[in-house]
Amino acid sequence: MSHDARFSLIELDTDQHLESLATEVREGLTATPKQIPCHFFYDETGSQIFEEICELPEYYLTRAESEILRDRAEEIARRYAQPIALVELGSGSAIKTRLLIDALLQEHGSLSYVPIDISPSVLEASAQQLLDDYKHLEIRAIAAEYQDGLHRIHDDDRHAKLILWLGSSIGNLDRPVAEQFISSLRAEMDPQDRLLLGIDLRKNREVLEDAYDDSRGVTARFNKNLLERINRELGADFDSGAFDFQATYDEVEGNVVSELRSRRDQTVRIDDLDLEVKFAASETIHTENSFKYSLAEIDALAHCTGFAVEDRWLDANQRYSVNLFAPTDR
Ligand code: AVJ
């Protein structure tokens, strides 16, 4: 079959939910403490730098997750007797998804892949590649925010679903928000459906702070690109060299906090917002939280969102977990 027959893209109108860069930068840089939401990391440059981060010796998360999926993909595929719909939140780095696509096609002969991502262009590009490589793959892409996209996956009732949320993306959410979001996933799932969740584990400070502030300065560049993006898109005059990057593990919260810290007193002008932002020496801009979970916290998360942990796999170094959540009835 041609690509056209095997590909569809639904674009949901999510404008009313999507705050623009302008609005959120104004809010975040006039707040105390200052902050910029981490989803703005991922413009074209930022997405490229993120790929570099995933290859860093210190950033073990991507490798650990791939190791687990490589070892377990077949076993996961064999749990389903019939072809399924593989739903993925954030179409992400295709490499990890391919491990599962390979195993599912091997097991069932056909597969429907439903990537949900905010960017239609990212969805189209990755779909072309996948359709070329897999002749028995059908792709029903949804360009939307996760929440809106998820309401659409119910439309396809022919297949059992396996929902993927990989990369420890859950770590960006405050714990109560994570709980709400997993509950909302549960609401879209039937008894035979499963949720496969990649979650980074709590561990000692040094390993975490190295992972989030690498010796080559790639993560620092990733953070400073936020300032350069604001220069490019909002006509600002940030000198990114006048900020230092820092990642600090809060052991009690289990949270790696990423920040940019002003090296001196300075004023930044943002033309498009007609805004001047003053920074005191050492004042910070909060850029990201990366929450870590203990195994007990993952069990509790499953329990209070209507799931049981049906299976859990760790990498050989026991730094990272992939969890198969099965709906419980309640
Ligand atoms: C993509 C959100 C999982 O928190 O580990 C990597 C992003 N930030 N290095 C993470 C990130 C700095 C990442 N997530």
Side-chain angles (χ1 to χ4, degrees):
M1 256 195 289
S2 71
H3 279 194
D4 284 357
R6 294 189 287 128
F7 179 70
S8 68
L9 172 65
I10 304 174
E11 289 189 49
L12 297 184
D13 177 28
T14 55
D15 285 358
Q16 70 261 37
H17 306 287
L18 239 197
E19 297 276 7
S20 68
L21 179 69
T23 311
E24 296 213 26
V25 165
R26 180 190 296 282
E27 272 179 28
L29 293 185
T30 54
T32 315
K34 294 181 169 65
Q35 51 181 299
I36 303 171
C38 64
H39 60 261
F40 291 120
F41 278 140
Y42 302 94
D43 67 349
E44 210 180 306
T45 308
S47 300
Q48 278 167 16
I49 304 173
F50 182 65
E51 299 285 307
E52 274 182 68
I53 289 176
C54 293
E55 308 271 310
L56 289 169
E58 296 99 329
Y59 195 76
Y60 58 85
L61 287 78
T62 314
R63 275 185 305 279
E65 189 172 66
S66 298
E67 171 192 321
I68 297 165
L69 293 177
R70 198 167 291 117
D71 289 350
R72 302 297 175 174
E74 264 183 50
E75 180 180 337
I76 293 167
R78 280 199 302 265
R79 286 165 186 259
Y80 295 91
Q82 303 290 326
I84 68 166
L86 181 66
V87 179
E88 181 162 31
L89 304 183
S91 57
S93 103
I95 301 165
K96 288 180 282 184
T97 312
R98 277 168 185 254
L99 294 167
L100 285 161
I101 292 177
D102 282 333
L104 288 160
L105 281 174
Q106 190 76 36
E107 185 68 21
H108 304 127
S110 69
L111 176 67
S112 175
Y113 176 51
V114 185
I116 303 175
D117 196 285
I118 196 65
S119 161
S121 56
V122 164
L123 286 167
E124 264 163 13
S126 74
Q128 285 313 315
Q129 202 57 55
L130 288 169
L131 292 171
D132 272 342
D133 295 347
Y134 299 102
K135 300 302 166 208
H136 299 280
L137 184 67
E138 169 193 77
I139 302 183
R140 301 281 165 244
I142 304 176
E145 297 213 69
Y146 294 166
Q147 216 41 259
D148 303 320
L150 275 168
H151 292 305
R152 286 304 185 91
I153 62 180
H154 234 72
D155 295 358
D156 173 10
D157 273 332
R158 291 171 301 148
H159 299 115
K161 296 184 285 286
L162 175 60
I163 301 177
L164 298 181
W165 198 23
L166 298 177
S168 204
S169 300
I170 191 173
N172 281 160
L173 304 183
D174 290 347
R175 289 180 201 275
V177 177
E179 209 174 291
Q180 280 169 27
F181 182 67
I182 300 294
S183 293
S184 71
L185 287 181
R186 172 66 186 85
E188 304 296 334
M189 292 171 65
D190 296 313
Q192 78 276 15
D193 299 338
R194 296 291 181 269
L195 169 63
L196 195 67
L197 261 182
I199 307 182
D200 195 23
L201 300 176
R202 287 184 182 248
K203 61 183 61 64
N204 74 61
R205 167 186 307 280
E206 208 182 323
V207 173
L208 284 169
E209 290 185 351
D210 285 353
Y212 285 88
D213 189 2
D214 62 279
S215 59
R216 291 170 175 76
V218 179
T219 312
R221 220 180 343 116
F222 182 60
N223 277 259
K224 290 180 184 186
N225 176 61
L226 270 176
L227 305 182
E228 285 148 19
R229 178 175 184 187
I230 294 168
N231 287 351
R232 287 190 293 269
E233 294 184 29
L234 299 176
D237 64 357
F238 273 106
D239 170 8
S240 63
F243 289 82
D244 290 323
F245 171 68
Q246 64 186 32
T248 318
Y249 184 49
D250 179 335
E251 220 154 336
V252 175
E253 292 294 323
N255 181 18
V256 180
V257 178
S258 295
E259 292 164 313
L260 291 161
R261 175 188 289 270
S262 177
R263 295 169 64 99
R264 46 177 163 80
D265 284 349
Q266 54 181 317
T267 302
V268 174
R269 160 121 201 116
I270 308 176
D271 275 340
D272 294 11
L273 302 181
D274 197 20
L275 182 69
E276 302 217 313
V277 184
K278 284 198 159 65
F279 291 89
S282 295
E283 188 177 354
T284 56
I285 308 172
H286 178 276
T287 55
E288 188 172 37
N289 289 327
S290 300
F291 283 94
K292 306 302 164 185
Y293 286 72
S294 67
L295 300 183
E297 283 170 329
I298 297 170
D299 291 342
L301 173 68
H303 186 76
C304 72
T305 53
F307 291 98
V309 181
E310 190 173 77
D311 244 313
R312 166 183 296 140
W313 304 281
L314 307 186
D315 62 308
N317 290 322
Q318 311 210 340
R319 290 173 168 174
Y320 195 90
S321 69
V322 172
N323 304 271
L324 193 64
F325 278 25
T328 51
D329 28 51
R330 33 148 249 178

